[in-house]
Amino acid sequence: MNTVIVKYNAGNVQSVLYALERVGFTKDILLTDDPETIKNADKVIFPGVGHAASAMAYLKQKGLDQLLPTLTQPFLGICLGMQLMCSHSQEGDTACLGIFEEKVLGFKSETLKIPQIGWNQITDLKTPLFDKVPEQSYIYLVHGYYAAVGQHTIARTEYIQPYSSALHKDNFYGVQFHPEKSAAVGEQILYNFMTNI
Amino acid sequence: MLTKRIIPCLDIKDGRTVKGVNFESLRDAGDPVELGKFYADQGADELVFLDITATVEKRKTLRELVSKIARHINIPFTVGGGISSVQDGKALLDNGADKTSVNSAAFKRPELISELAEAFGSQCVVLAIDTKKEADGNWYVYLNGGRLKTDILCEDWARKGVELGAGEILLTSMNNDGTKQGFALDITNRLATTLPVPIIASGGGGTVAHFIDVFKNAHADAALAASIFHFREIEIGALKAELAAAGIDVRR
C-alpha cells in the first residue's frame, strides 16, 4: 500500500509524516504534487495551513484542482485541506474544490478570540474514522474560518456556534482539527484512516 | 468548549534541558524529548522550548532537536530563542515545530513579526514579552532576558505586535517570575481583555490557586510554568483536576 501526502504551498507536512510513523506507518509514504503519482496512490492525505486563495492558486497551477475531486481512493483533508474540499471559502472569496457542498465562513464574535487556538471537543461522531474515539474527545485546532453544519457533517465542535469539525462524502473525509497534534485521540483517528477507510 | 491550556516550559542549552530537574521516573531528565514526552503523557496541552544557546554553530543542534521532538511528541510545541529572520524560523518550522517565539529581536526590528506572519501565518508567531512594573506603576518592556530596560510600555508593544501579525502573546512578569506568589493578574487581565489574540501568562505560578486566579480573574487563555513542574511541586494531572473542580474548562 502506498500513501501520498499532497505537497503544496500550505503547511507543515513534516508533523503529519511523524504522526503516521508513530502509529506504525513508516514505509511507502510519498510527498508529491505530481498528478499521476497522486492518482495511483492507495490513500491520499491533503494537509494544509495557510490562506485559501493562495493554496487554490497553487493547486490550479498544478492541475490538482481538476484531479482531486475525481479521485476514488480514501482521501483525508486536514485543516485548510478540509476547507479547500468545500464549495467556497469566505477567505479571499475563493472558489474551492466543491467535493462537499458546505461553505466555509469566517468566525465573527465580539467577545471570543479569533482564530480559535487550542483544544476543543468533538461530538456526534459518525463513520469508522472515529472508531474507538469517545464522544467529547479533545482535539487541537487553529482556525479562523469554519465549515457550517450540513448533510456531510460527521463531527461537530462548538465555538461561537456549532460547526463541522469533520465532513464525509463517499471516499472523501476532511477534519478541521490537527490529528497529528491531537495526542492519542489524533493518533487513533490517523490509524483509523490508514486501516479502516 | 475551547479549554484553557497548561504549558510547561523547558529551557534548552546545547540540546539539553537546563535547571536541575527532579524526576526519578525518567531515565534522563536532561533529555528534552524524554521530559517533553513525560509532560505530554501527563496531560500538558502544549510545550515551549526556549533555547538559550547563544552560538551560531549550535543552531544545527537545535534543528536536530526540534526534529526529534516533533517525531516523538504528539502535542503542539513552540520553539524560541535566537530567531531573528524568516530563515531562522523556517529552519525550525520545517523540522516540525508548530510555532516560533520571538522576543528581543522582534523589539529591535518589529518587521520580523510581519515577515514571519506573512511567510508562515500568524498562528506560527508567538510574541514573547518580558515586562516589569516600575515604581511609577507602569509595566515596561525589558529585553535580553530581562537585563535591558526600555521606555516602551508593555501594552503598547503588545498591541503593536498584534497589529504586525503576532498570533499569541507570551507575557512574562519579571516582578512575579520565580516568586511562586502568583501570576501578575493586572497586566495579564489588561492584555487578555483588550487584545484579540490569546494571552499566555507566565511567571509566579506556585500553587493551584494561582492558576485558578489567572484563568478566572485575569482571563488568561493559557498559563506557562517551569520549575514547579520540573520539581513536581504541582503535577499536571492533579492541577487540571482541581481547575475542572473550580469550573474552569480544561482538557482531561
Side-chain angles (χ1 to χ4, degrees):
Chain A
M1 182 182 86
N2 77 73
T3 301
V4 150
I5 299 180
V6 180
K7 184 176 116 181
Y8 62 121
N9 61 335
N12 191 341
V13 290
Q14 196 58 50
S15 302
V16 177
L17 283 168
Y18 285 149
L20 289 172
E21 190 180 298
R22 285 196 301 274
V23 294
F25 299 91
T26 53
K27 284 188 195 153
D28 303 318
I29 297 172
L30 273 175
L31 191 58
T32 183
D33 59 4
D34 174 53
E36 269 313 295
T37 313
I38 294 171
K39 208 167 151 181
N40 294 322
D42 295 310
K43 287 183 195 278
V44 176
I45 298 179
F46 183 47
V49 169
H51 194 280
S54 59
M56 276 308 297
Y58 184 94
L59 295 176
K60 276 184 188 161
Q61 187 196 324
K62 298 281 174 186
L64 296 177
D65 62 319
Q66 298 296 320
L67 173 72
L68 298 183
T70 66
L71 294 176
T72 53
Q73 66 274 60
F75 185 105
L76 178 67
I78 297 174
C79 194
L80 179 65
M82 185 206 88
Q83 295 188 356
L84 296 177
M85 293 163 77
C86 293
S87 59
H88 179 270
S89 175
Q90 244 179 21
E91 188 177 32
D93 188 17
T94 306
C96 297
L97 298 172
I99 294 166
F100 304 123
E101 289 83 356
E102 281 77 359
K103 285 187 165 41
V104 176
L105 308 166
F107 279 129
K108 282 189 184 61
S109 170
E110 297 288 306
T111 51
L112 290 173
K113 295 184 177 179
I114 299 165
Q116 172 176 225
I117 299 179
W119 297 81
N120 202 330
Q121 289 168 292
I122 44 176
T123 57
D124 293 336
L125 306 179
K126 301 184 181 87
T127 79
L129 187 66
F130 295 106
D131 271 2
K132 295 183 189 161
V133 176
E135 285 286 327
Q136 319 270 335
S137 286
Y138 287 96
I139 39 74
Y140 184 78
L141 304 137
V142 180
H143 62 127
Y145 291 80
Y146 68 95
V149 172
Q151 57 167 324
H152 300 116
T153 303
I154 54 167
R156 292 173 186 236
T157 295
E158 189 147 347
Y159 189 68
I160 303 171
Q161 71 272 315
Y163 67 89
S164 294
S165 44
L167 294 165
H168 165 238
K169 184 185 179 186
D170 307 326
N171 57 313
F172 293 100
Y173 291 79
V175 293
Q176 178 62 63
F177 51 89
H178 287 279
E180 75 278 18
K181 289 288 164 182
S182 293
V185 167
E187 288 171 351
Q188 180 70 50
I189 292 167
L190 282 176
Y191 179 83
N192 290 346
F193 176 72
M194 295 301 283
T195 53
N196 290 351
I197 305 287
Chain B
M1 283 290 283
L2 181 66
T3 59
K4 302 287 190 183
R5 290 172 277 158
I6 299 295
I7 308 178
C9 178
L10 289 76
D11 284 346
I12 307 294
K13 193 174 182 193
D14 302 335
R16 305 274 299 167
T17 52
V18 288
K19 288 182 183 168
V21 180
N22 186 14
F23 282 120
E24 283 167 14
S25 61
L26 293 188
R27 204 160 28 85
D28 179 7
D31 175 5
V33 178
E34 195 171 345
L35 186 56
K37 191 166 186 317
F38 173 79
Y39 286 134
D41 292 344
Q42 275 203 333
D45 296 305
E46 256 180 78
L47 299 168
V48 169
F49 295 88
L50 278 186
D51 184 50
I52 56 172
T53 315
T55 54
V56 174
E57 65 266 27
K58 297 290 165 56
R59 292 280 152 212
K60 189 161 164 276
T61 315
L62 179 63
R63 286 199 297 276
E64 286 165 2
L65 175 64
V66 166
S67 165
K68 242 174 96 187
I69 293 165
R71 174 168 265 142
H72 295 286
I73 290 179
N74 59 12
I75 58 172
F77 68 98
T78 300
V79 181
I83 297 163
S84 57
S85 68
V86 165
Q87 203 185 348
D88 292 341
K90 186 172 172 15
L92 302 175
L93 296 169
D94 281 353
N95 279 289
D98 298 285
K99 308 175 190 180
T100 56
S101 148
V102 291
N103 191 329
S104 303
F107 188 90
K108 290 169 188 159
R109 198 175 68 80
E111 312 85 74
L112 176 61
I113 298 173
S114 42
E115 289 166 12
L116 289 168
E118 269 165 40
F120 314 115
S122 288
Q123 79 286 342
C124 288
V125 189
V126 179
L127 175 60
I129 303 177
D130 296 325
T131 187
K132 191 172 174 187
K133 190 178 194 175
E134 298 288 351
D136 66 1
N138 289 318
W139 291 89
Y140 290 91
V141 176
Y142 275 70
L143 304 179
N144 300 353
R147 291 187 298 275
L148 180 66
K149 182 182 180 294
T150 73
D151 296 328
I152 304 298
L153 293 178
C154 175
E155 297 101 297
D156 293 343
W157 173 226
R159 192 179 322 109
K160 185 170 179 200
V162 171
E163 282 165 15
L164 288 168
E168 288 179 90
I169 303 282
L170 166 52
L171 178 72
T172 302
S173 160
M174 293 165 56
N175 306 70
N176 301 62
D177 202 21
T179 64
K180 296 185 189 171
Q181 298 296 308
F183 294 92
L185 299 180
D186 57 347
I187 186 70
T188 302
N189 184 55
R190 221 177 301 163
L191 296 193
T193 52
T194 55
L195 293 178
V197 302
I199 306 299
I200 305 163
S202 156
T207 66
V208 171
H210 295 152
F211 285 84
I212 294 174
D213 248 7
V214 82
F215 289 134
K216 274 203 164 165
N217 300 323
H219 306 99
D221 299 278
L224 176 144
S227 58
I228 54 159
F229 296 136
H230 300 332
F231 293 101
R232 302 191 93 161
E233 290 165 31
I234 294 182
E235 301 251 14
I236 291 170
L239 169 62
K240 286 187 148 185
E242 291 199 53
L243 290 173
I248 295 164
D249 288 309
V250 287
R251 176 178 74 105
R252 296 176 68 197

